[in-house]
Each structure stands twice: as C-alpha cells, then as structure tokens.
Amino acid sequence: MSTIDWIVLFATLLLIVGYGVYKTYGPKSMDNYLRGDSDMNWWTIGLSIMATQASAITFLSTPGQAYEDGMRFIQFYFGLPIAMIILSVTFIPIYYKLKVYTAYEFLENRFDLKTRTLAALLFLTQRGLAAGITIYAPAIILSTLLGWNLFWTNIFIGVLVILYTVSGGTKAVSITQKQQMGVMMGGMILAGIFVIKMLPVGFSDALHVAGKMERLNIINFEFDLADRYNVWSGMTAALFLFLSYFGTDQSQVQRYLTGKSLAESRMGLIMNGLLKIPMQFIILFIGVMVFVFYQFFQPPVVFNKVQTERLINSDYEEPFLKLEGAYSEAFEQKSNHINELLAAVKADDEQGIRNAQSGMKASQKRQEEIRNEVKSLIVQNEPNAETKDTDYVFMRFVMDYLPMGIVGLLFAVIFSAAMSSTASELNSLGTTSTIDIYKRSLRKNESDKHYMLSSKWLTALWGVFAILFATYASLFENLIQAVNLLGSLFYGTILGIFLVGFYMKWIKGHAVFIAALIAEAIILMLHWFNGESILGIDINIGFLWYNAIGCILVMVLAALIQLMRRG
C-alpha cells in the first residue's frame, strides 16, 4: 500500500478507538459499565446490533461467496425480520420486566441455578471460540495481503479491542460501533461504485453477463436438507438461528438492554430486521460485480498471491507457468463467448444467446479445472497449505485495481468490522462470566465496585483467550460459514431452553436440564457423523438445520422427561 493508504488506515482506527475511550472513560458503577446506564436511543441500538453481527468475516467472505456461488446466500437472512418481530413481542418485555444484566438470569427465575449455569456455559464456550475466529479470520487474510506476521496481526487487532472495551464497557462498544458502521458501509459502497465504473461495458450488459453465468440466482424454492441456502432453510432453520442469536446470545442481548425504554429496544431490533437484508444484498452484489469485472480483466489463477509466489520459487515453477498459460487461453475463449453473448442479446437472438452461454460455461469449467490443478501443485509443494482462496477475492481486487487512499479505507473497513464484533463478544463474555458465574456462584456478597473491576479483568482475560485461540486456529472451508457452523452447534439447545421457559410453563428445571444435555450431545454426534452412513442411513444435513433440530429436541425431550417424572 502507499503512504496515503497507511495514513488513512491507522488514522481511521486510532480515531475510532480514541473517541470510544474519550467518551466513556472511567465508569463509576457496575450498572454503568455493563448496561451503559440504559440511556441508548433506538438508532444507536440498531447500528450496534448490526455492527455486532457484521464482523470482518462479512466483508471478507461475503463478496467472495457471491463471486463463487452467486447471490443465493441472501436467502439465509429471509427469516430475520420474522425473528425480530417475535423477539420484540416475546423476549424483550420479559428481560425488561426482570431488569436483568444477562439473558441467563431469566432461566434461574424460571427454572433453577443449574439450568442458568448450563446455558451460560454453553454460551461462553461457543462465543469464546467465535471471538477467536473473528480475530483470526481477518488477521490471516490481512497478514497475507500486507506481508505482516500473523501472530502480531492477531495481537494488533486484539489489543486495540481490549483497550476500549475494558476501558469503557458496554457504552464504549455501542458508541464506537456507530463510527465503525459508517466506515464499513461507506467504504463498501464506494468500492461498489468504483467496480461498476471500471467495467468496460454498461450496467445492463454487466447484469446480462452475471445472469447468464448464474450469479444472480437469488431465490431457490427446491427443498433439500443438504443445501445450506434456499428459501426453506432461510425461513425455518435460519429463523431458529436468529431467534437464538438475537434472543439468547448475550453479545446481542446486551446491545438492546442498553435502551432508554422497551420501545427504544424494540425499534432498534426492528431497524436491524429491516436494514440487514438490504445491507447483505449490497455486499453480495458488489461481489457479483467483481465477478463480472474479472470476466473482462483476467483474474489471477489463485487469489492468494503468497501461494503462487511460493510455487514460482519452487521446483514446481515450470508446470505452474504452463497451467497459467492454459488459464489465459481459457480466459480468452470465454471473453470471446461473452462478446458473442452481448451481441446476441442486442440482436435479440435467442439461439445465439444459448450458444454463447454454453461456450461461456465450458470455458469457465476449464478455468476451474486449471485452478484445481494449480491448487494440487500448491499442496504438493506445501502439504499443509490452505488452497481455498474465496476469502481473498475481494481484497485482492481492491489492492490490484482501486486507487490509493481507497485501498487504505477498505482495509480500515476490515479492521473496523473485526473490532466491532470482537468488542461485543468480549463485552458479553466478561458480563456473563461476572454475573452468571462469578457473582452468582463464587463470590456472592462483594461490593458493586468489586464486580465492576472483576468484569474488566474477565473481559481482558477473554480477550487474551481469543488472541491465543486465533493464533492456533486454522481456516475452515469458508470463514463466514465457520462462524455460522459454530453457532449452529450450540444455539439450538440454548434456544430450546428459553422457549420451554417462555411457552411450556408446566415443565420444571430438572427436566429441561437433562433434555438440554441430551440434545447437545445428539447435535455434536450428528455433526461428527454428518456425511457418513450409519446403519445404512446416509446422514447429510446442512448445518443450519442443527438450530431447528437442537431446539425441537430440547422441547420434546423436556416434555417427555417431565411426563415420566409425573408418572
């Protein structure tokens, strides 16, 4: 990057962190530190909720997801507005009535201490690991692109977040997230404008190319349990995920517990439900436009530049260069077919469109075959190398084609997103550890100041844990899927406990506690054996369905156990 890019990057980050520390330094009470004195307005709450969910993974992986698979990932969010309405009607009024610091306090009021502690521990396990991924995900990409050491990149992101989160607590997180959301969406929209302006064809022609190459495939009504993204998984399985994430995950619950009133918190959630789908649509569409751009300008055979440079400096240089030449030939053939397609579209020649489309698909398939051969060379040269490069697509485009200053801003987008989501996670981990474990079961009668300081120390310790986990983590198939998978393993069980508490009043604590343990064990086993055959039955379930299965298992098993105890 240029000097201007570095100035833009560090100035943006330091201003956000400095502003957060300045505005919230030195809270005087536990209520101020954990709930920010409950004085946030609805739009601050809404932006904070969106920023918590919009991690760096969103801005790294989502454009790459669209580049590789089109727009169908948007279906994952179709159940979100429904979830926000359900939460506004059911969950939030109960939290406000009980004046809780954490969602899990409700469970002791409804059931017993062991059920509250179990839910809190499930949350701490899931969110503690997720915090590591939200640091690691951008760190490994940014360290590769910028040539930084991965360990020190993890430290840099983690320490910045710990600094203002420990200093100012919940209010610092919410205040800084407003600036971070402005940087994130402003930077992405600017990138989208640039990529459209840089296309050598008009916008309508770009849409024709994207459509004929199956990148505008928004809706899929085909029911398939193995398919992660279709209308049915988005409206059902993802609905359970959103109910659990926004209704029982303390990283989100803590955002709207800071509201001035019940109405402000409800409006913040509804704002998130209304704006999240358009936001994801914009990010996915930018990824599609990057795909179209690379139909006219040859893309790298592998987007992770470090891996190809290692091949050039190895014994595999000659076969790699041959494959790169073949890749260029396939690209030229595809370019010719794209020109034929656009000419046929203008002439309204349906047969010509079909012929061009067939040629484009054949050339695209040949390019993918060559990419796979290059990836095979990468693994031969370095057996532990990560060959999946989807998460590098967008930032590689940014570094190669966008003007200086804008490059620095887009890197600031990634760092800001990493900081916003990680700050919420650490804040909620510190709060839950303090309120549900330390204050409730370990040190029950200490002063208000003692618990505030304890929360600060526990927040910092969770930050250190997240950095350590990030240091020793490894890439999943796709970063955005990694976070959703990790949540899906635990969220269904947690949501099931809460739904039993809200709607199945006749079920007692012991029954739901045993049901939750059994359900969680089944989900973990289901994931362990997913893709295999057991007793002649092929298990192939998209991980989003774990949320629905886990939740339903808890409710059904709790009912059965309670009936058996009565019998």
Side-chain angles (χ1 to χ4, degrees):
M1 295 199 301
S2 68
T3 303
I4 292 176
D5 289 315
W6 288 113
I7 292 172
V8 169
L9 170 60
F10 285 110
T12 302
L13 298 182
L14 292 175
L15 282 171
I16 290 173
V17 172
Y19 181 77
V21 172
Y22 168 73
K23 292 290 287 184
T24 61
Y25 181 75
K28 299 298 188 293
S29 69
M30 186 172 71
D31 188 73
N32 179 284
Y33 190 75
L34 298 184
R35 285 195 300 208
D37 287 331
S38 300
D39 63 356
M40 297 294 176
N41 54 38
W42 64 269
W43 61 274
T44 300
I45 294 169
L47 288 175
S48 184
I49 290 171
M50 292 175 69
T52 296
Q53 190 183 16
S55 68
I57 298 166
T58 301
F59 299 97
L60 284 169
S61 280
T62 306
Q65 179 95 9
Y67 181 95
E68 187 176 73
D69 194 39
M71 297 282 291
R72 70 193 190 99
F73 179 64
I74 194 69
Q75 296 169 108
F76 172 72
Y77 292 95
F78 283 179
L80 181 62
I82 300 172
M84 297 301 96
I85 293 171
I86 294 172
L87 294 174
S88 296
V89 172
T90 305
F91 287 53
I92 300 182
I94 294 175
Y95 293 153
Y96 264 83
K97 182 180 179 181
L98 295 175
K99 293 182 170 58
V100 297
Y101 284 104
T102 76
Y104 316 111
E105 290 180 79
F106 159 75
L107 297 178
E108 184 174 0
N109 279 285
R110 171 63 178 84
F111 296 118
D112 51 33
L113 175 59
K114 67 177 182 293
T115 305
R116 170 186 178 177
T117 304
L118 174 63
L121 289 174
L122 287 174
F123 163 73
L124 291 172
T125 301
Q126 183 272 329
R127 188 50 58 191
L129 296 175
I133 292 178
T134 53
I135 291 176
Y136 172 76
I140 193 167
I141 307 298
L142 295 170
S143 64
T144 300
L145 293 171
L146 298 174
W148 290 3
N149 177 274
L150 176 59
F151 174 76
W152 291 110
T153 308
N154 285 326
I155 294 289
F156 177 71
I157 296 173
V159 168
L160 276 181
V161 174
I162 291 171
L163 182 65
Y164 69 85
T165 306
V166 171
S167 171
T170 297
K171 184 174 284 190
V173 173
S174 297
I175 287 176
T176 53
Q177 283 177 329
K178 288 192 293 185
Q179 282 72 42
Q180 287 161 341
M181 274 301 296
V183 170
M184 287 187 279
M185 287 313 300
M188 290 302 293
I189 291 171
L190 201 56
I193 293 171
F194 269 101
V195 69
I196 292 171
K197 281 186 169 292
M198 291 165 66
L199 291 172
V201 296
F203 186 62
S204 60
D205 286 341
L207 292 179
H208 281 301
V209 172
K212 298 303 181 184
M213 298 192 75
E214 299 178 349
R215 291 305 186 275
L216 297 179
N217 48 340
I218 297 176
I219 304 294
N220 177 19
F221 286 102
E222 183 180 348
F223 183 80
D224 182 2
L225 282 175
D227 185 9
R228 297 186 183 104
Y229 308 119
N230 56 47
V231 167
W232 311 113
S233 64
M235 294 297 290
T236 54
L239 173 62
F240 282 89
L241 173 62
F242 291 133
L243 283 173
S244 188
Y245 177 52
F246 290 99
T248 72
D249 189 307
Q250 184 62 22
S251 66
Q252 284 291 1
V253 173
Q254 198 154 344
R255 307 283 67 78
Y256 52 76
L257 287 180
T258 62
K260 291 179 180 178
S261 64
L262 174 61
E264 296 280 348
S265 294
R266 281 174 163 168
M267 288 175 66
L269 269 180
I270 297 300
M271 171 186 171
N272 176 60
L274 294 175
L275 295 184
K276 183 64 178 179
I277 294 177
M279 171 184 157
Q280 289 297 133
F281 183 91
I282 290 170
I283 298 171
L284 283 165
F285 189 73
I286 291 169
V288 170
M289 289 297 101
V290 171
F291 173 82
V292 174
F293 177 87
Y294 277 127
Q295 306 314 301
F296 296 97
F297 300 91
Q298 183 174 330
V301 65
V302 172
F303 284 93
N304 187 340
K305 194 174 182 179
V306 171
Q307 299 291 7
T308 53
E309 287 176 348
R310 288 175 181 169
L311 278 182
I312 291 173
N313 295 317
S314 72
D315 295 336
Y316 297 95
E317 179 184 9
E318 186 176 344
F320 168 67
L321 292 177
K322 286 183 180 178
L323 286 171
E324 203 170 38
Y327 188 77
S328 297
E329 290 177 12
F331 174 78
E332 289 298 329
Q333 291 173 1
K334 186 171 66 174
S335 295
N336 292 334
H337 291 307
I338 288 174
N339 291 330
E340 292 169 5
L341 170 75
L342 294 177
V345 167
K346 289 177 182 176
D348 201 21
D349 178 3
E350 289 297 328
Q351 184 60 45
I353 291 173
R354 285 193 292 271
N355 291 339
Q357 192 173 8
S358 176
M360 286 159 55
K361 286 183 178 180
S363 298
Q364 181 73 16
K365 183 180 179 181
R366 176 59 183 148
Q367 281 187 292
E368 287 303 315
E369 290 172 351
I370 295 168
R371 270 172 51 81
N372 289 333
E373 290 182 54
V374 172
K375 290 178 180 180
S376 177
L377 287 181
I378 290 172
V379 172
Q380 291 176 48
N381 182 50
E382 191 178 334
N384 295 323
E386 172 54 49
T387 59
K388 185 143 183 89
D389 62 344
T390 309
D391 301 312
Y392 291 85
V393 170
F394 178 64
M395 291 309 294
R396 180 70 186 272
F397 163 77
V398 168
M399 292 192 76
D400 287 348
Y401 292 100
L402 293 191
M404 62 180 179
I406 303 301
V407 175
L409 179 62
L410 266 296
F411 272 99
V413 166
I414 306 304
F415 276 109
S416 293
M419 289 160 55
S420 69
S421 54
T422 306
S424 291
E425 289 169 336
L426 298 186
N427 183 222
S428 62
L429 288 165
T431 300
T432 302
S433 300
T434 301
I435 299 298
D436 295 296
I437 307 297
Y438 183 76
K439 183 176 185 291
R440 180 62 186 86
S441 300
L442 299 178
R443 300 284 291 272
K444 297 182 180 181
N445 300 307
E446 301 294 339
S447 66
D448 183 85
K449 183 178 180 181
H450 174 87
Y451 292 124
M452 185 193 75
L453 292 174
S454 299
S455 184
K456 285 191 172 190
W457 278 107
L458 286 167
T459 300
L461 286 173
W462 277 111
V464 172
F465 171 81
I467 292 171
L468 290 174
F469 181 79
T471 302
Y472 294 103
S474 61
L475 274 177
F476 291 74
E477 175 190 351
N478 178 275
L479 297 175
I480 198 165
Q481 290 177 5
V483 170
N484 289 331
L485 167 60
L486 193 56
S488 297
L489 291 174
F490 296 93
Y491 278 148
T493 301
I494 298 173
L495 178 62
I497 296 172
F498 275 84
L499 292 185
V500 170
F502 288 140
Y503 301 116
M504 303 170 75
K505 302 293 186 182
W506 54 279
I507 294 179
K508 306 303 180 185
H510 186 73
V512 76
F513 180 79
I514 299 300
L517 290 175
I518 296 171
E520 187 58 39
I522 291 173
I523 291 298
L524 293 175
M525 289 176 61
L526 188 65
H527 179 65
W528 182 265
F529 292 108
N530 203 8
E532 299 183 17
S533 179
I534 300 176
L535 300 176
I537 301 174
D538 292 329
I539 299 176
N540 191 11
I541 300 173
F543 61 76
L544 285 179
W545 290 103
Y546 298 166
N547 298 281
I549 294 169
C551 178
I552 293 169
L553 276 173
V554 171
M555 298 174 76
V556 172
L557 290 172
L560 291 174
I561 293 169
Q562 189 65 46
L563 289 172
M564 285 173 19
R565 284 174 64 84
R566 284 183 178 181

